[in-house]
Amino acid sequence: MSTAFATSPRAATVGPGSTVVLVDAGGTNIGSVRYALQRLGVEAPLTADPAAIRAASKVIVPGVGAAGPAMARLRALGLVDLLRGLTQPVLGVCLGMQLLCAHSEEGDVDCLGLIPATVRRLLPAPGLRVPHMGWNRLHTRSAHPLLDGLAHGAQAYFVHSYAVPVGIDTLATAEHGATFSAVVARGNFFGMQFHPERSAAVGARLLRNFLAL
């Protein structure tokens, strides 16, 4: 496990009157994300209210689950077009990152279409298990404020069976048999395939970087 940084994580600030919300896409692990934000001094309510999401300064789409049920829930709540049209910073975490993509092989479902990529199933190989679970090294491909302070050799905690292939929107990669996108960014939409809330100081720093965007 790595917690290496150029500087230590500090309390996050999002400015007076700023708000952060967690989109209720029906996934699990929501409590852990909220606690991680609370440790940074940020209260982020879980909501499916379009007005609250639209008015927030930062929006996080967390979740552990499957793409099909998550997209069905977003459609039932009338949030698909809303999320597509947001102009503030939006962060997808784990399944949330995959939902930002155009399509997922998991359930053969169309997603939000904000990242032009198809989510692919990780392929098992000798000595490699799927789902991919545990600490893995992050390899930076592009400089970006979201990755400020990320030290060489930093590791994050992953739990997933599907991943986003490496593409033009990939900021950092990881490897599990094949190389896949660990962090993506396109316009105001960002994704982390790993769990920042379970990634110790590395995750705290990256969450703080997102809150500062």
Side-chain angles (χ1 to χ4, degrees):
M1 177 176 93
S2 171
T3 57
F5 282 100
T7 58
S8 299
R10 304 181 299 273
T13 56
V14 291
S18 297
T19 56
V20 181
V21 298
L22 299 170
V23 176
D24 184 5
T28 61
N29 213 42
I30 304 297
S32 295
V33 178
R34 291 189 69 182
Y35 297 146
L37 292 169
Q38 287 172 353
R39 289 194 293 270
L40 295 176
V42 174
E43 291 292 339
L46 179 67
T47 184
D49 177 28
I53 296 170
R54 192 179 295 111
S57 303
K58 304 286 192 306
V59 175
I60 299 177
V61 184
V64 175
M71 284 304 303
R73 178 173 175 81
L74 292 178
R75 286 192 294 268
L77 294 170
L79 297 181
V80 171
D81 288 340
L82 171 66
L83 291 173
R84 287 171 174 163
L86 293 178
T87 58
Q88 65 268 59
V90 178
L91 174 65
V93 173
C94 193
L95 175 62
M97 168 173 154
Q98 297 175 13
L99 296 182
L100 299 179
C101 294
H103 190 82
S104 177
E105 288 185 346
E106 185 180 28
D108 190 23
V109 62
D110 288 333
C111 299
L112 294 173
L114 298 163
I115 304 289
T118 295
V119 181
R120 306 288 187 186
R121 180 168 176 80
L122 294 173
L123 298 179
L128 292 175
R129 293 183 177 181
V130 176
H132 170 212
M133 297 178 64
W135 294 88
N136 207 330
R137 195 177 307 277
L138 303 177
H139 303 277
T140 302
R141 285 170 53 94
S142 302
H144 192 280
L146 187 63
L147 303 181
D148 280 354
L150 186 69
H152 176 71
Q155 296 190 52
Y157 190 83
F158 292 82
V159 181
H160 62 122
S161 298
Y162 291 79
V164 179
V166 177
I168 60 172
D169 301 311
T170 304
L171 297 182
T173 63
E175 294 180 8
H176 188 72
T179 302
F180 61 87
S181 296
V183 183
V184 296
R186 187 177 184 87
N188 60 301
F189 294 95
F190 307 90
M192 298 178 188
Q193 179 58 68
F194 51 89
H195 289 274
E197 75 281 4
R198 300 180 64 181
S199 297
V202 168
R205 179 56 183 259
L206 296 181
L207 282 176
R208 185 167 62 83
N209 287 348
F210 170 73
L211 295 172
L213 291 176

